[in-house]
Amino acid sequence: MLKNSEFVSKLRNSGLRPTKQRLKICEVLFNRDKTFHFTINDLAKNIAENFNEKISLATIYNTVHAFKDKGYLKEITISSDKSYFDTNITKHHHFYDEDTNLLIDCNDNEIGKVNIKNNITGKKISSVEVLVRVASDTQNQD
Amino acid sequence: MLKNSEFVSKLRNSGLRPTKQRLKICEVLFNRDKTFHFTINDLAKNIAENFNEKISLATIYNTVHAFKDKGYLKEITISSDKSYFDTNITKHHHFYDEDTNLLIDCNDNEIGKVNIKNNITGKKISSVEVLVRVASDTQNQD
DNA sequence: AATTTATATTATAATCATTCTAAACTGTTG
DNA sequence: CAACAGTTTAGAATGATTATAATATAAATT
């Protein structure tokens, strides 16, 4: 739950001008108690339905990518045609429910630390992501 | 290193007619000592450059997807615009080298078993995938 | 081995998400 | 308030993937 003035500083601090559109998007994404997952399409729809002033699709794309580049969003890619953004930018893993197409955050109670015994020589690990796909017991397990 | 007749049975067994095009693609993909990663584009290029008879792009897409559906290929999605197919269909994880855009198979010497302590109620785990992104020490860690 | 049927391939067109363009607009600085 | 850089916008362009429907091929049937 952040205030408008906090979004203004947040944007300024990362070299992004606090425009009306960006602040609106910040409000939609970050003015909440809980983090969540969304697609560009979800976000565009959300804005179109809940606000009078519309934001151009190009701006929504630009802003989401700018926020991702600045580290305010993480992208979770499920398959070549399914990609979600996550407002939870802490290190964490995901369950993906193949029945509902929903992404669910894991915490340390659910997935233990991944033990990486050897890394590629001369390289540094930039991220470790675990995706656990789940489906109903009765469903085809693919 | 499989023979042509083995590909014929392999295809027949999964309800796919052993056409010239599918056998050619089998040869390119599976007639090797080591498994490997490729994109549709890589495969199309490979076929175009190394064989006289060309295979239509639509057929390449259809065949790769059919092989994936039948479990002869696995798809590894790196980001919304980068997706690889893997001829190694055993359970394993990957390193992704952000400098070279290459995918590297992990084995158990490199990543230990992922400890999933709790699963979503009523669901069955269909897969567990770990992706470790790596980059040069000197590079921006994103 | 000819006929029939179902399935596969092909070139091309269609689709659709994403990115580009360049004109208009806005936030910031002095 | 003027000047400038950065931003937004609608619409066009792009490009990967999928659809189409005519032709070809494999398999089943006679």
Side-chain angles (χ1 to χ4, degrees):
Chain A
M1 291 289 238
L2 296 169
K3 305 201 308 284
N4 196 274
S5 68
E6 294 180 273
F7 294 138
V8 171
S9 348
K10 183 172 177 161
L11 291 172
R12 282 232 180 78
N13 289 339
S14 45
L16 297 172
R17 285 187 180 173
T19 63
K20 226 176 357 161
Q21 293 84 348
R22 285 172 178 166
L23 288 168
K24 178 66 68 189
I25 293 174
C26 277
E27 198 188 317
V28 172
L29 297 181
F30 307 119
N31 190 19
R32 306 196 175 211
D33 288 322
K34 293 188 180 172
T35 61
F36 72 113
H37 304 107
F38 66 94
T39 64
I40 295 269
N41 195 40
D42 293 338
L43 178 59
K45 233 170 156 182
N46 183 333
I47 291 170
E49 288 170 1
N50 296 309
F51 299 96
N52 284 334
E53 46 183 323
K54 79 177 283 262
I55 300 181
S56 136
L57 192 56
T59 299
I60 295 177
Y61 272 97
N62 289 340
T63 303
V64 167
H65 288 142
F67 285 5
K68 184 194 166 189
D69 292 344
K70 296 300 179 183
Y72 302 146
L73 292 171
K74 268 174 101 170
E75 188 169 8
I76 318 295
T77 308
I78 300 301
S79 61
S80 40
D81 61 351
K82 265 197 213 65
S83 165
Y84 295 82
F85 290 90
D86 194 343
T87 63
N88 178 358
I89 56 169
T90 64
K91 286 184 190 177
H92 66 287
H93 303 306
H94 292 94
F95 288 110
Y96 178 68
D97 187 329
E98 295 177 328
D99 304 324
T100 61
N101 289 349
L102 283 177
L103 209 53
I104 300 148
D105 279 5
C106 298
N107 52 43
D108 296 342
N109 301 332
E110 286 159 334
I111 298 190
K113 196 166 170 16
V114 178
N115 178 18
I116 297 170
K117 301 171 184 172
N118 295 301
N119 187 18
I120 314 281
T121 312
K123 300 281 174 172
K124 195 174 160 182
I125 292 172
S126 36
S127 71
V128 177
E129 288 159 40
V130 181
L131 184 67
V132 180
R133 288 170 206 267
V134 303
S136 325
D137 268 343
T138 51
Q139 214 107 355
N140 178 17
Q141 302 301 323
D142 162 38
Chain B
M1 291 289 238
L2 296 171
K3 306 199 306 284
N4 196 273
S5 68
E6 294 180 273
F7 293 138
V8 171
S9 349
K10 184 174 177 160
L11 290 171
R12 281 232 180 79
N13 290 340
S14 45
L16 297 172
R17 286 187 178 171
T19 63
K20 229 178 353 163
Q21 292 83 350
R22 285 172 179 166
L23 288 168
K24 179 64 69 189
I25 292 174
C26 277
E27 199 189 316
V28 172
L29 296 181
F30 307 121
N31 190 19
R32 307 197 174 210
D33 289 320
K34 293 187 181 171
T35 62
F36 72 112
H37 304 107
F38 66 93
T39 64
I40 296 267
N41 195 40
D42 293 338
L43 178 59
K45 234 171 154 178
N46 184 334
I47 292 170
E49 288 170 0
N50 295 310
F51 300 95
N52 284 334
E53 45 184 324
K54 77 177 284 258
I55 300 180
S56 135
L57 191 56
T59 300
I60 295 177
Y61 273 97
N62 289 339
T63 304
V64 167
H65 288 142
F67 286 5
K68 185 195 165 188
D69 291 345
K70 297 299 181 184
Y72 302 147
L73 292 172
K74 268 174 100 171
E75 188 169 7
I76 316 295
T77 308
I78 300 302
S79 60
S80 39
D81 61 352
K82 265 197 213 65
S83 167
Y84 294 83
F85 290 91
D86 193 343
T87 63
N88 178 358
I89 55 170
T90 64
K91 285 183 190 179
H92 66 287
H93 303 305
H94 291 93
F95 287 110
Y96 179 68
D97 187 328
E98 295 178 326
D99 302 325
T100 61
N101 289 350
L102 285 176
L103 209 52
I104 299 149
D105 278 6
C106 298
N107 52 43
D108 297 343
N109 302 331
E110 287 159 333
I111 298 189
K113 195 165 171 19
V114 178
N115 178 18
I116 296 170
K117 301 173 185 170
N118 294 299
N119 186 16
I120 313 282
T121 312
K123 300 282 173 172
K124 195 172 159 185
I125 291 172
S126 36
S127 71
V128 177
E129 289 159 40
V130 181
L131 184 68
V132 180
R133 288 171 205 265
V134 303
S136 321
D137 269 343
T138 51
Q139 214 106 353
N140 179 17
Q141 302 300 322
D142 161 39

